[in-house]
Amino acid sequence: IWIRDIKEILKLHVNTINKVLKTLESRKLIKAIKPVGAAASKKIYMLFELEPDSSVSGGAFYSGQEFDSQFVDLLNQQCLKYLKSKAQAAAEKFPNDFLAKRKSCLTSSSEILQHIKELKISKIDLSLADVEKILDTVVFDGNAQKELGVVGGDTFYAATKTPNSQTTFCTGLVKAPCAFCPLFEDCRPKGLVSPATCVYFKEWLAE
């Protein structure tokens, strides 16, 4: 609650209100926070055990009221490095099999989150949404492609280049549902699972 609202509701002298608030803070019943953005000049109080919404605090990428660009750059670099390592491994394992290469290098955001946690480069507990925001910056930089999986709704990412190559690694075929399909190995012409009967494949061709 905004300090101004407290004053208007209680109708007490400002010194009395400040004294009460300090007492509650010292007892760790409430805490004061300063929001980011346009409301940065406001002083807000909330229950001590609660955490402010990211729209108020700025989320994981703010240190105090300042945007932590160095932290964001570090996460961006580590995400890209991991995606490139997956792409390099896939290129070496499947040099002549494009679909197998694509399937091998696609990496879910949850896997990348786990990798970031193992690196221990963040002092805060990053969420999946936080990491996906960073991965989106990698995509916007043209260094990765992003696709939603056909099954489960997971988000997958793949580097556009391998560490040892300046040529484009990914092509538009990354959008093909085959790269995400758990039945890829069983898919064959005239089989129970086939491109001719695949609903997802037809939707992709119709795009």
Side-chain angles (χ1 to χ4, degrees), residues 49-67:
E49 65 271 17
L50 299 180
E51 290 298 327
D53 185 82
S54 59
S55 62
V56 176
S57 66
F61 309 127
Y62 275 78
S63 178
Q65 292 179 281
E66 299 294 327
F67 180 70

Side-chain angles (χ1 to χ4, degrees), residues 107-110 128 132 146-157 180:
T107 309
S108 68
S109 51
S110 56
L128 185 62
E132 288 183 346
K146 171 184 177 180
E147 290 298 328
L148 293 179
V150 172
V151 179
D154 288 332
T155 305
F156 291 83
Y157 297 82
F180 306 93

Side-chain angles (χ1 to χ4, degrees), residues 60-63 66-79 121-123 126 134 137:
F61 309 127
Y62 275 78
S63 178
E66 299 294 327
F67 180 70
D68 195 343
S69 59
Q70 290 185 337
F71 180 49
V72 170
D73 288 342
L74 175 62
L75 291 174
N76 180 293
Q77 293 167 11
Q78 291 301 323
C79 287
I121 57 176
S122 175
K123 296 180 180 179
L126 294 173
I134 295 297
T137 67

